[in-house]
Amino acid sequence: MDHRAMVRLSKRMSLALRHEPARFGLAPDRAGWVPVDDLLAALRIDRVDLDAVVAGNDKQRFAVERGADGAERIRANQGHSIPVDLGLTPSAPPARLYHGTSRVALDSIRATGLHRAGRHHVHLSPDVATARRVGARRAGELVVLTVDAAAMARDGHAFYRSANGVWLTDAVPARYLAD
Ligand code: HQG
């Protein structure tokens, strides 16, 4: 598979595992897992290609493991819009986290803070370079906001770290943001 085919398949897998499993005839369990064999059948893909996407993914978006029944299962590490309980435990964040977005969103973000939109959490990056990549997905001029995660944690906001290193929190009130 070439790079473009990998990206295309990664997007289909994300759609099936995070957002619209029913459209593919899939029913993830409450932690978001589906049997690997079911995903292969639903997407009509080979195991070799699935493994290539899981292993070669730039963001380690997917996890494969053997379930209690002995069968291998797969889920997305984060980014769901379907209800899932990823079983993440709260974790102390680094002092600063970063959020890349578009300048056109800035007035609204300054007024109301960062909201989770369609996902379960606001996604924050551990470094500026990662935040720039996330923000670059948006049209228009990129801005990287700095989040005072130390102050948020002190004030009782919970943070979670996904298996692929994305920091998650429910919302970021505007007073913790600087640009
Ligand atoms: C913006 C990708 C106006 C927010 C990435 C963002 C990430 C506001 C957008 C992951 C706002 C939501 C998540 C407010 C937030 N006013 N705009 N008050 N509050 N926003 O896609 O963080 O490839 O849900 O700035 O790499 O961009 O899917 O969040 O622009 O890790 O694995 O609302 O998605 O990962 O957009 O990206 P998203 P995000 P994957």
Side-chain angles (χ1 to χ4, degrees), residues 62-132:
F62 309 102
V64 174
E65 63 167 45
R66 200 167 289 284
D69 61 357
E72 280 192 294
R73 55 192 193 170
I74 182 167
R75 75 174 179 184
N77 281 324
Q78 37 73 224
H80 300 78
S81 57
I82 55 164
V84 287
D85 178 0
L86 292 175
L88 299 174
T89 47
S91 168
R96 297 202 187 310
L97 288 167
Y98 303 92
H99 181 85
T101 188
S102 158
R103 184 164 293 283
V104 296
L106 208 50
D107 285 347
S108 163
I109 291 172
R110 281 201 190 105
T112 64
L114 286 173
H115 298 298
R116 59 203 173 84
R119 307 193 196 238
H120 288 198
H121 297 98
V122 171
H123 289 223
L124 302 173
S125 305
D127 53 70
V128 174
T130 307
R132 294 184 73 86

Side-chain angles (χ1 to χ4, degrees), residues 150-163:
M152 282 184 69
R154 226 167 23 239
D155 294 345
H157 294 268
F159 286 84
Y160 307 86
R161 190 178 173 281
S162 72

